[in-house]
Amino acid sequence: MAWRNHSTITEFILIGLSDDPYIEALLFVFFLGIYLLTVMGNLMMLLVIRADSRLHTPMYFFLSNLSFLDLCFSSVTVPKLLKDLLSEKRTISVEGCLTQVFFVFITAGTEAFLLSVMAYDRYAAICHPLLYGQVMSIQFCVKLVLISWGLACLNSVVIVLLAINLDFCEAQTIHHYICELPSLFPLSCSDISINVDILICSILLHGLGTFLPISFSYARIVSTILSISSTSGRSKAFSTCSSHLIAVTLFFGSGLIRYLMPTSGSSLDLLSSLQYSAVTPLLNPLIYSLKNKEVKAAVRRTLGKYLHS
């Protein structure tokens, strides 16, 4: 695909998180710690799920894919942020910026679809336990993951095509720490009204297309849980869903705030982006390991196996 002529602009300047060298040094240490913990936490989840045969179930198959996505998502944004925190000149080429936009959308989009698939998995397990093994076969699970990647890729291509067709003239300062489409639109000297409308429609279709199945699944799950007579049965059923509900709230809450609210370059824009691109990938393995007895037991077994080998 040939890049269009973007006038005199060949690179953008990222404002970043701070201009104070001391604050930048503290932020570098902070986000380096977050990134290393994110990598270790998600790699641990991948290792434990692969090594423990008791976790070779649809639920943990999807969870391992979520961990892989969180690794990718964090790696798209945080390393560039760390580099810029140590640099006096925070720039990114136009091609590099659009590449980052693409990978932000494909990883975030796939994660949204995957969270929707995981909600359906919990619905099938709790509402139709006798048919669960038949419905959630390994072939079907693989197809769901591949469809999630495919739809997110298609959406990302459409989004990047919107940006490729923009012309950037004088303004080249992005009031953000990463390249995101809402921050690029104000820099364009082209008419962006159609682009903004398409972006909003895409986000709404993507968001509603993933969030509505989650809402439907949990409406049925709650109804089924409330019909369980024993307190222990209700508690066990709810515990299998609580981690997923927390992950959904963290991801969709910050993502929708960022892409559906007008871009202002405010602290809210930065915080919402940091939430879903840096903090959520760190918290997901903690949420699923600390609140899940099976994962905690598998971690102990795996660590014991490697320590005694």
Side-chain angles (χ1 to χ4, degrees), residues 164-221:
I164 287 177
N165 289 322
L166 296 176
D167 286 313
F168 301 100
C169 302
E170 298 298 330
Q172 61 180 130
T173 301
I174 298 176
H175 294 273
H176 213 283
Y177 70 95
I178 58 172
C179 284
E180 288 185 329
L181 214 51
S183 299
L184 283 180
F185 282 158
L187 306 184
S188 175
C189 51
S190 308
D191 180 8
I192 62 168
S193 55
I194 295 177
N195 301 66
V196 171
D197 290 341
I198 294 174
L199 176 64
I200 291 174
C201 289
S202 173
I203 296 300
L204 286 175
L205 284 172
H206 199 129
L208 292 176
T210 52
F211 192 73
L212 286 179
I214 293 173
S215 302
F216 171 79
S217 296
Y218 275 104
R220 296 296 302 271
I221 287 170

Side-chain angles (χ1 to χ4, degrees), residues 146-174:
L146 292 177
I147 289 171
S148 297
W149 276 99
L151 290 174
C153 184
L154 179 63
N155 184 62
S156 302
V157 169
V158 171
I159 294 298
V160 171
L161 286 176
L162 296 180
I164 287 177
N165 289 322
L166 296 176
D167 286 313
F168 301 100
C169 302
E170 298 298 330
Q172 61 180 130
T173 301
I174 298 176

Side-chain angles (χ1 to χ4, degrees), residues 1-6 9-12 14 76 80 91-106 155-168 174 178-185 187-188 195 259:
M1 181 183 296
W3 297 98
R4 273 192 52 176
N5 177 26
H6 290 272
I9 299 298
T10 59
E11 63 181 17
F12 296 114
L14 296 164
V76 169
K80 172 62 176 169
T91 59
I92 185 169
S93 67
V94 172
E95 290 82 2
C97 187
L98 296 179
T99 300
Q100 190 175 55
V101 168
F102 175 80
F103 282 107
V104 165
F105 267 93
I106 193 171
N155 184 62
S156 302
V157 169
V158 171
I159 294 298
V160 171
L161 286 176
L162 296 180
I164 287 177
N165 289 322
L166 296 176
D167 286 313
F168 301 100
I174 298 176
I178 58 172
C179 284
E180 288 185 329
L181 214 51
S183 299
L184 283 180
F185 282 158
L187 306 184
S188 175
N195 301 66
Y259 281 91

Side-chain angles (χ1 to χ4, degrees), residues 8 16 37 45 61 102 110 123 172 224 228 240 259 264 272 292 303:
T8 59
L37 289 172
M45 290 295 292
F61 171 73
F102 175 80
T110 305
Y123 158 75
Q172 61 180 130
T224 301
I228 298 175
T240 64
Y259 281 91
S264 60
S272 58
N292 190 305
L303 289 176

Side-chain angles (χ1 to χ4, degrees), residues 18-274:
S18 175
D19 290 325
D20 188 318
Y22 297 103
I23 294 177
E24 284 186 320
L26 291 173
L27 288 173
F28 175 81
V29 173
F30 178 68
F31 284 107
L32 178 62
I34 283 182
Y35 185 62
L36 292 176
L37 289 172
T38 299
V39 171
M40 289 189 293
N42 285 289
L43 284 177
M44 180 202 72
M45 290 295 292
L46 288 168
L47 174 64
V48 167
I49 292 172
R50 182 170 180 79
D52 198 311
S53 59
R54 302 180 197 186
L55 300 185
H56 293 176
T57 64
M59 175 180 171
Y60 294 106
F61 171 73
F62 294 132
L63 183 53
S64 64
N65 279 274
L66 181 65
S67 292
F68 175 72
L69 270 171
D70 283 335
L71 271 175
C72 296
F73 198 5
S74 184
S75 297
V76 169
T77 57
V78 180
K80 172 62 176 169
L81 170 62
L82 292 173
K83 176 181 176 293
D84 287 343
L85 287 170
L86 295 179
S87 305
E88 291 185 10
K89 188 180 179 183
R90 296 186 288 261
T91 59
I92 185 169
S93 67
V94 172
E95 290 82 2
C97 187
L98 296 179
T99 300
Q100 190 175 55
V101 168
F102 175 80
F103 282 107
V104 165
F105 267 93
I106 193 171
T107 50
T110 305
E111 185 155 337
F113 281 116
L114 189 61
L115 288 171
S116 182
V117 167
M118 292 171 76
Y120 176 76
D121 173 68
R122 292 300 83 211
Y123 158 75
I126 293 172
C127 300
H128 303 286
L130 298 179
L131 298 174
Y132 179 68
Q134 181 180 347
V135 172
M136 302 301 293
S137 64
I138 186 61
Q139 294 85 357
F140 183 58
C141 293
V142 171
K143 286 179 183 177
L144 289 175
V145 170
L146 292 177
I147 289 171
S148 297
W149 276 99
L151 290 174
C153 184
L154 179 63
N155 184 62
S156 302
V157 169
V158 171
I159 294 298
V160 171
L161 286 176
L162 296 180
I164 287 177
N165 289 322
L166 296 176
D167 286 313
F168 301 100
C169 302
E170 298 298 330
Q172 61 180 130
T173 301
I174 298 176
H175 294 273
H176 213 283
Y177 70 95
I178 58 172
C179 284
E180 288 185 329
L181 214 51
S183 299
L184 283 180
F185 282 158
L187 306 184
S188 175
C189 51
S190 308
D191 180 8
I192 62 168
S193 55
I194 295 177
N195 301 66
V196 171
D197 290 341
I198 294 174
L199 176 64
I200 291 174
C201 289
S202 173
I203 296 300
L204 286 175
L205 284 172
H206 199 129
L208 292 176
T210 52
F211 192 73
L212 286 179
I214 293 173
S215 302
F216 171 79
S217 296
Y218 275 104
R220 296 296 302 271
I221 287 170
V222 169
S223 175
T224 301
I225 290 176
L226 292 177
S227 67
I228 298 175
S229 56
S230 68
T231 305
S232 61
R234 286 198 298 269
S235 176
K236 183 178 180 181
F238 181 74
S239 67
T240 64
C241 302
S242 58
S243 300
H244 181 257
L245 274 173
I246 295 171
V248 167
T249 303
L250 289 172
F251 181 80
F252 278 92
S254 55
L256 291 177
I257 288 173
R258 176 68 183 110
Y259 281 91
L260 292 183
M261 290 184 66
T263 299
S264 60
S266 65
S267 298
L268 182 61
D269 288 346
L270 295 175
L271 288 173
S272 58
S273 294
L274 285 170

